[in-house]
Amino acid sequence: LIGAGKTPTLGGGFHANLGKESRAQTLQNGKRQIHHLGNQLQLNQHCLDTAFNFFKMAVSKHLTRGRKMTHVIAACLYLVCRTEGTPHMLLDLSDLLQVNVYVLGKTFLLLARELCINAPAIDPCLYIPRFAHMLEFGDKSHEVSMTALRLLQRMKRDWMHTGRRPSGLCGAALLVAARMHDFRRTVKEVIRVVKVCESTLRKRLTEFEDTPTSQLTIDEFMKIDLEEECDPPSFTAGQRKLKIQQLEKALSKKLEDFEGEISSYQDEIEIELENSRPKAKGVFANFTKDDSIEDNTSSVLGEEEAEDEELEAAANHLNKDFCNELHEKDGVKRNEDGGCKNGNQTFVRPPALESLLGPLPTAASLGITESIKECISTKDQEPGE
């Protein structure tokens, strides 16, 4: 019975953590990860201790449940950067952890709201030395940084920093400062450093262009500091939009007035043309009336008139052929009889209808002579009707 009293071991780590609670293990893992990430961001010990305190508060309020540990730790570290004013961005943590920046931002906002911590906006001036070092200005790095800081102070006085990302303002200030010191830095190079969109950087430059400070020369800017403050860019854009709407309303009203005047002038011109047009007299007046009636009814009876014209044209063609045949026959007879003395054919009139259709009916043959006389007598007796 040499090994009868011994029990099988499960490893040294199992005995070490056997008596620890789950919360203690969570705090220990969190502290280790906070120090690992904080050292990569080059944060001092005070910031690391503060971040660990934020993490303990989040664990006590059960904010870590249902969330990844790395997301909560990154949010605690960024909360420290905001409260202590260190030149770090949430994008830096996103790059280190390879996590979507919007996911980290959502967790950060949740922690700040639940822990009742007011995270102030970071001053854009904190990022200038960091970005200037990354743009590699060499010996003039300090001069470019000071010029960019002066530009940023001017932008802040002109209300350009409110509601704007600090990195966008820093990029615009550094781009202008680099050009002032004869450094040819392109927009793409600045974007690669400050990590903003090109349109955002150009908007900041356009807003700065609208301020009176942008009209100064380099020497004047270094010596003169304008006392007046500009309105915020959003307020200026809103006022410009209102002016445009007012101008559009005024122009539309003027257009309506001009259209009314033009229509009244057109009516007067038409009336004058009608009055000055010579009026037909006598027999021609009836023709003008008939023409007007035909014009009015032409649109209604267009199809019927077209059919009548086709029938009339066909009838004229047939009559013409028939008359030509009669002329030829008559000309042959006359030539046989001797013709004219001059040898020219004489024009022969077409035969009468009686020769073609026979004797035409008369009133006597139709037996309506008596009725005609009665009608005439009644008209003589009643002249009024």
Side-chain angles (χ1 to χ4, degrees), residues 120-142:
I122 296 179
D123 190 358
C125 299
L126 295 173
Y127 295 117
I128 290 294
R130 173 188 171 184
F131 293 150
H133 176 71
M134 295 171 68
L135 285 171
E136 298 177 356
F137 293 114
D139 297 336
K140 289 190 175 182
S141 180
H142 180 69

PDB file of all heavy atoms in Angstrom, residues 120-142:
ATOM      1  N   PRO A 120     -15.213  64.252 -22.390  1.00  0.00           N
ATOM      2  CA  PRO A 120     -15.153  65.497 -23.173  1.00  0.00           C
ATOM      3  C   PRO A 120     -14.557  65.263 -24.544  1.00  0.00           C
ATOM      4  O   PRO A 120     -13.821  64.288 -24.773  1.00  0.00           O
ATOM      5  CB  PRO A 120     -14.253  66.397 -22.313  1.00  0.00           C
ATOM      6  CG  PRO A 120     -13.393  65.453 -21.540  1.00  0.00           C
ATOM      7  CD  PRO A 120     -14.231  64.231 -21.285  1.00  0.00           C
ATOM      8  N   ALA A 121     -14.913  66.171 -25.479  1.00  0.00           N
ATOM      9  CA  ALA A 121     -14.350  66.084 -26.834  1.00  0.00           C
ATOM     10  C   ALA A 121     -12.858  66.400 -26.792  1.00  0.00           C
ATOM     11  O   ALA A 121     -12.405  67.269 -26.047  1.00  0.00           O
ATOM     12  CB  ALA A 121     -15.066  67.063 -27.766  1.00  0.00           C
ATOM     13  N   ILE A 122     -12.103  65.680 -27.578  1.00  0.00           N
ATOM     14  CA  ILE A 122     -10.650  65.851 -27.591  1.00  0.00           C
ATOM     15  C   ILE A 122     -10.303  67.117 -28.364  1.00  0.00           C
ATOM     16  O   ILE A 122     -10.866  67.391 -29.436  1.00  0.00           O
ATOM     17  CB  ILE A 122      -9.971  64.626 -28.218  1.00  0.00           C
ATOM     18  CG1 ILE A 122     -10.227  63.390 -27.356  1.00  0.00           C
ATOM     19  CG2 ILE A 122      -8.474  64.842 -28.372  1.00  0.00           C
ATOM     20  CD1 ILE A 122      -9.629  62.132 -27.898  1.00  0.00           C
ATOM     21  N   ASP A 123      -9.392  67.882 -27.809  1.00  0.00           N
ATOM     22  CA  ASP A 123      -8.920  69.081 -28.483  1.00  0.00           C
ATOM     23  C   ASP A 123      -8.111  68.673 -29.716  1.00  0.00           C
ATOM     24  O   ASP A 123      -7.189  67.850 -29.618  1.00  0.00           O
ATOM     25  CB  ASP A 123      -8.052  69.897 -27.521  1.00  0.00           C
ATOM     26  CG  ASP A 123      -7.735  71.270 -28.067  1.00  0.00           C
ATOM     27  OD1 ASP A 123      -8.167  71.569 -29.204  1.00  0.00           O
ATOM     28  OD2 ASP A 123      -7.059  72.056 -27.370  1.00  0.00           O
ATOM     29  N   PRO A 124      -8.431  69.218 -30.886  1.00  0.00           N
ATOM     30  CA  PRO A 124      -7.665  68.834 -32.091  1.00  0.00           C
ATOM     31  C   PRO A 124      -6.175  69.161 -31.988  1.00  0.00           C
ATOM     32  O   PRO A 124      -5.360  68.517 -32.671  1.00  0.00           O
ATOM     33  CB  PRO A 124      -8.333  69.657 -33.204  1.00  0.00           C
ATOM     34  CG  PRO A 124      -9.672  70.031 -32.683  1.00  0.00           C
ATOM     35  CD  PRO A 124      -9.536  70.125 -31.200  1.00  0.00           C
ATOM     36  N   CYS A 125      -5.826  70.123 -31.149  1.00  0.00           N
ATOM     37  CA  CYS A 125      -4.406  70.499 -31.035  1.00  0.00           C
ATOM     38  C   CYS A 125      -3.555  69.351 -30.495  1.00  0.00           C
ATOM     39  O   CYS A 125      -2.324  69.329 -30.722  1.00  0.00           O
ATOM     40  CB  CYS A 125      -4.264  71.723 -30.128  1.00  0.00           C
ATOM     41  SG  CYS A 125      -5.124  73.183 -30.757  1.00  0.00           S
ATOM     42  N   LEU A 126      -4.163  68.404 -29.800  1.00  0.00           N
ATOM     43  CA  LEU A 126      -3.385  67.287 -29.253  1.00  0.00           C
ATOM     44  C   LEU A 126      -2.813  66.387 -30.349  1.00  0.00           C
ATOM     45  O   LEU A 126      -1.779  65.745 -30.158  1.00  0.00           O
ATOM     46  CB  LEU A 126      -4.260  66.451 -28.317  1.00  0.00           C
ATOM     47  CG  LEU A 126      -4.751  67.144 -27.031  1.00  0.00           C
ATOM     48  CD1 LEU A 126      -5.747  66.253 -26.311  1.00  0.00           C
ATOM     49  CD2 LEU A 126      -3.564  67.462 -26.131  1.00  0.00           C
ATOM     50  N   TYR A 127      -3.482  66.344 -31.493  1.00  0.00           N
ATOM     51  CA  TYR A 127      -3.051  65.439 -32.568  1.00  0.00           C
ATOM     52  C   TYR A 127      -1.991  66.050 -33.480  1.00  0.00           C
ATOM     53  O   TYR A 127      -1.387  65.326 -34.285  1.00  0.00           O
ATOM     54  CB  TYR A 127      -4.251  65.029 -33.430  1.00  0.00           C
ATOM     55  CG  TYR A 127      -5.287  64.214 -32.700  1.00  0.00           C
ATOM     56  CD1 TYR A 127      -6.574  64.685 -32.514  1.00  0.00           C
ATOM     57  CD2 TYR A 127      -4.969  62.955 -32.199  1.00  0.00           C
ATOM     58  CE1 TYR A 127      -7.524  63.930 -31.856  1.00  0.00           C
ATOM     59  CE2 TYR A 127      -5.920  62.198 -31.538  1.00  0.00           C
ATOM     60  CZ  TYR A 127      -7.189  62.690 -31.364  1.00  0.00           C
ATOM     61  OH  TYR A 127      -8.124  61.948 -30.703  1.00  0.00           O
ATOM     62  N   ILE A 128      -1.781  67.348 -33.396  1.00  0.00           N
ATOM     63  CA  ILE A 128      -0.879  68.006 -34.352  1.00  0.00           C
ATOM     64  C   ILE A 128       0.557  67.459 -34.276  1.00  0.00           C
ATOM     65  O   ILE A 128       1.135  67.105 -35.318  1.00  0.00           O
ATOM     66  CB  ILE A 128      -0.911  69.530 -34.142  1.00  0.00           C
ATOM     67  CG1 ILE A 128      -2.263  70.098 -34.593  1.00  0.00           C
ATOM     68  CG2 ILE A 128       0.221  70.217 -34.898  1.00  0.00           C
ATOM     69  CD1 ILE A 128      -2.527  69.987 -36.079  1.00  0.00           C
ATOM     70  N   PRO A 129       1.197  67.380 -33.091  1.00  0.00           N
ATOM     71  CA  PRO A 129       2.568  66.843 -33.068  1.00  0.00           C
ATOM     72  C   PRO A 129       2.670  65.424 -33.605  1.00  0.00           C
ATOM     73  O   PRO A 129       3.634  65.074 -34.310  1.00  0.00           O
ATOM     74  CB  PRO A 129       2.952  66.930 -31.579  1.00  0.00           C
ATOM     75  CG  PRO A 129       2.057  67.957 -31.003  1.00  0.00           C
ATOM     76  CD  PRO A 129       0.782  67.839 -31.751  1.00  0.00           C
ATOM     77  N   ARG A 130       1.680  64.598 -33.296  1.00  0.00           N
ATOM     78  CA  ARG A 130       1.705  63.214 -33.764  1.00  0.00           C
ATOM     79  C   ARG A 130       1.610  63.138 -35.283  1.00  0.00           C
ATOM     80  O   ARG A 130       2.414  62.459 -35.935  1.00  0.00           O
ATOM     81  CB  ARG A 130       0.547  62.463 -33.111  1.00  0.00           C
ATOM     82  CG  ARG A 130       0.345  61.056 -33.640  1.00  0.00           C
ATOM     83  CD  ARG A 130      -0.918  60.447 -33.086  1.00  0.00           C
ATOM     84  NE  ARG A 130      -1.240  59.196 -33.743  1.00  0.00           N
ATOM     85  CZ  ARG A 130      -2.336  58.486 -33.515  1.00  0.00           C
ATOM     86  NH1 ARG A 130      -3.214  58.910 -32.611  1.00  0.00           N
ATOM     87  NH2 ARG A 130      -2.558  57.363 -34.150  1.00  0.00           N
ATOM     88  N   PHE A 131       0.649  63.859 -35.866  1.00  0.00           N
ATOM     89  CA  PHE A 131       0.486  63.816 -37.318  1.00  0.00           C
ATOM     90  C   PHE A 131       1.649  64.502 -38.038  1.00  0.00           C
ATOM     91  O   PHE A 131       2.047  64.067 -39.126  1.00  0.00           O
ATOM     92  CB  PHE A 131      -0.841  64.468 -37.717  1.00  0.00           C
ATOM     93  CG  PHE A 131      -2.053  63.707 -37.266  1.00  0.00           C
ATOM     94  CD1 PHE A 131      -3.240  64.356 -36.969  1.00  0.00           C
ATOM     95  CD2 PHE A 131      -2.014  62.330 -37.130  1.00  0.00           C
ATOM     96  CE1 PHE A 131      -4.360  63.665 -36.566  1.00  0.00           C
ATOM     97  CE2 PHE A 131      -3.137  61.618 -36.718  1.00  0.00           C
ATOM     98  CZ  PHE A 131      -4.304  62.288 -36.431  1.00  0.00           C
ATOM     99  N   ALA A 132       2.188  65.565 -37.454  1.00  0.00           N
ATOM    100  CA  ALA A 132       3.335  66.239 -38.076  1.00  0.00           C
ATOM    101  C   ALA A 132       4.551  65.314 -38.116  1.00  0.00           C
ATOM    102  O   ALA A 132       5.307  65.307 -39.097  1.00  0.00           O
ATOM    103  CB  ALA A 132       3.660  67.523 -37.316  1.00  0.00           C
ATOM    104  N   HIS A 133       4.734  64.528 -37.073  1.00  0.00           N
ATOM    105  CA  HIS A 133       5.837  63.571 -37.061  1.00  0.00           C
ATOM    106  C   HIS A 133       5.639  62.493 -38.129  1.00  0.00           C
ATOM    107  O   HIS A 133       6.598  62.059 -38.787  1.00  0.00           O
ATOM    108  CB  HIS A 133       5.948  62.937 -35.671  1.00  0.00           C
ATOM    109  CG  HIS A 133       6.999  61.867 -35.591  1.00  0.00           C
ATOM    110  ND1 HIS A 133       8.361  62.143 -35.629  1.00  0.00           N
ATOM    111  CD2 HIS A 133       6.899  60.506 -35.493  1.00  0.00           C
ATOM    112  CE1 HIS A 133       9.042  61.019 -35.554  1.00  0.00           C
ATOM    113  NE2 HIS A 133       8.179  60.008 -35.471  1.00  0.00           N
ATOM    114  N   MET A 134       4.403  62.071 -38.334  1.00  0.00           N
ATOM    115  CA  MET A 134       4.131  61.042 -39.334  1.00  0.00           C
ATOM    116  C   MET A 134       4.277  61.578 -40.760  1.00  0.00           C
ATOM    117  O   MET A 134       4.581  60.813 -41.684  1.00  0.00           O
ATOM    118  CB  MET A 134       2.718  60.483 -39.128  1.00  0.00           C
ATOM    119  CG  MET A 134       2.549  59.744 -37.804  1.00  0.00           C
ATOM    120  SD  MET A 134       0.835  59.300 -37.448  1.00  0.00           S
ATOM    121  CE  MET A 134       0.528  58.069 -38.698  1.00  0.00           C
ATOM    122  N   LEU A 135       4.077  62.890 -40.959  1.00  0.00           N
ATOM    123  CA  LEU A 135       4.218  63.467 -42.300  1.00  0.00           C
ATOM    124  C   LEU A 135       5.666  63.772 -42.663  1.00  0.00           C
ATOM    125  O   LEU A 135       5.923  64.165 -43.805  1.00  0.00           O
ATOM    126  CB  LEU A 135       3.372  64.746 -42.404  1.00  0.00           C
ATOM    127  CG  LEU A 135       1.857  64.530 -42.523  1.00  0.00           C
ATOM    128  CD1 LEU A 135       1.119  65.841 -42.391  1.00  0.00           C
ATOM    129  CD2 LEU A 135       1.504  63.856 -43.837  1.00  0.00           C
ATOM    130  N   GLU A 136       6.578  63.653 -41.700  1.00  0.00           N
ATOM    131  CA  GLU A 136       8.019  63.749 -41.956  1.00  0.00           C
ATOM    132  C   GLU A 136       8.404  65.110 -42.563  1.00  0.00           C
ATOM    133  O   GLU A 136       8.790  65.219 -43.731  1.00  0.00           O
ATOM    134  CB  GLU A 136       8.481  62.617 -42.885  1.00  0.00           C
ATOM    135  CG  GLU A 136       8.263  61.227 -42.293  1.00  0.00           C
ATOM    136  CD  GLU A 136       8.668  60.132 -43.251  1.00  0.00           C
ATOM    137  OE1 GLU A 136       9.045  60.488 -44.400  1.00  0.00           O
ATOM    138  OE2 GLU A 136       8.600  58.955 -42.877  1.00  0.00           O
ATOM    139  N   PHE A 137       8.302  66.148 -41.750  1.00  0.00           N
ATOM    140  CA  PHE A 137       8.737  67.474 -42.169  1.00  0.00           C
ATOM    141  C   PHE A 137      10.212  67.739 -41.846  1.00  0.00           C
ATOM    142  O   PHE A 137      10.728  68.807 -42.174  1.00  0.00           O
ATOM    143  CB  PHE A 137       7.873  68.548 -41.516  1.00  0.00           C
ATOM    144  CG  PHE A 137       6.455  68.543 -41.992  1.00  0.00           C
ATOM    145  CD1 PHE A 137       5.419  68.226 -41.130  1.00  0.00           C
ATOM    146  CD2 PHE A 137       6.149  68.842 -43.305  1.00  0.00           C
ATOM    147  CE1 PHE A 137       4.111  68.222 -41.569  1.00  0.00           C
ATOM    148  CE2 PHE A 137       4.834  68.829 -43.755  1.00  0.00           C
ATOM    149  CZ  PHE A 137       3.807  68.518 -42.891  1.00  0.00           C
ATOM    150  N   GLY A 138      10.860  66.829 -41.171  1.00  0.00           N
ATOM    151  CA  GLY A 138      12.285  66.971 -40.899  1.00  0.00           C
ATOM    152  C   GLY A 138      12.572  68.028 -39.849  1.00  0.00           C
ATOM    153  O   GLY A 138      11.942  68.067 -38.774  1.00  0.00           O
ATOM    154  N   ASP A 139      13.528  68.914 -40.173  1.00  0.00           N
ATOM    155  CA  ASP A 139      13.927  69.948 -39.221  1.00  0.00           C
ATOM    156  C   ASP A 139      12.834  70.994 -39.007  1.00  0.00           C
ATOM    157  O   ASP A 139      12.791  71.635 -37.956  1.00  0.00           O
ATOM    158  CB  ASP A 139      15.199  70.655 -39.715  1.00  0.00           C
ATOM    159  CG  ASP A 139      16.379  69.698 -39.795  1.00  0.00           C
ATOM    160  OD1 ASP A 139      16.351  68.676 -39.062  1.00  0.00           O
ATOM    161  OD2 ASP A 139      17.307  69.961 -40.585  1.00  0.00           O
ATOM    162  N   LYS A 140      11.980  71.164 -39.984  1.00  0.00           N
ATOM    163  CA  LYS A 140      10.913  72.157 -39.869  1.00  0.00           C
ATOM    164  C   LYS A 140       9.643  71.582 -39.259  1.00  0.00           C
ATOM    165  O   LYS A 140       8.576  72.197 -39.383  1.00  0.00           O
ATOM    166  CB  LYS A 140      10.596  72.733 -41.249  1.00  0.00           C
ATOM    167  CG  LYS A 140      11.697  73.656 -41.789  1.00  0.00           C
ATOM    168  CD  LYS A 140      11.215  74.374 -43.027  1.00  0.00           C
ATOM    169  CE  LYS A 140      12.244  75.386 -43.512  1.00  0.00           C
ATOM    170  NZ  LYS A 140      11.786  76.139 -44.697  1.00  0.00           N
ATOM    171  N   SER A 141       9.729  70.436 -38.652  1.00  0.00           N
ATOM    172  CA  SER A 141       8.535  69.821 -38.074  1.00  0.00           C
ATOM    173  C   SER A 141       7.919  70.709 -36.993  1.00  0.00           C
ATOM    174  O   SER A 141       6.683  70.853 -36.921  1.00  0.00           O
ATOM    175  CB  SER A 141       8.888  68.448 -37.494  1.00  0.00           C
ATOM    176  OG  SER A 141       7.752  67.843 -36.942  1.00  0.00           O
ATOM    177  N   HIS A 142       8.761  71.324 -36.170  1.00  0.00           N
ATOM    178  CA  HIS A 142       8.244  72.187 -35.099  1.00  0.00           C
ATOM    179  C   HIS A 142       7.575  73.433 -35.683  1.00  0.00           C
ATOM    180  O   HIS A 142       6.497  73.847 -35.213  1.00  0.00           O
ATOM    181  CB  HIS A 142       9.378  72.577 -34.158  1.00  0.00           C
ATOM    182  CG  HIS A 142       8.933  73.467 -33.037  1.00  0.00           C
ATOM    183  ND1 HIS A 142       8.116  73.026 -32.011  1.00  0.00           N
ATOM    184  CD2 HIS A 142       9.185  74.797 -32.785  1.00  0.00           C
ATOM    185  CE1 HIS A 142       7.879  74.019 -31.171  1.00  0.00           C
ATOM    186  NE2 HIS A 142       8.519  75.112 -31.617  1.00  0.00           N
TER     187      HIS A 142
END
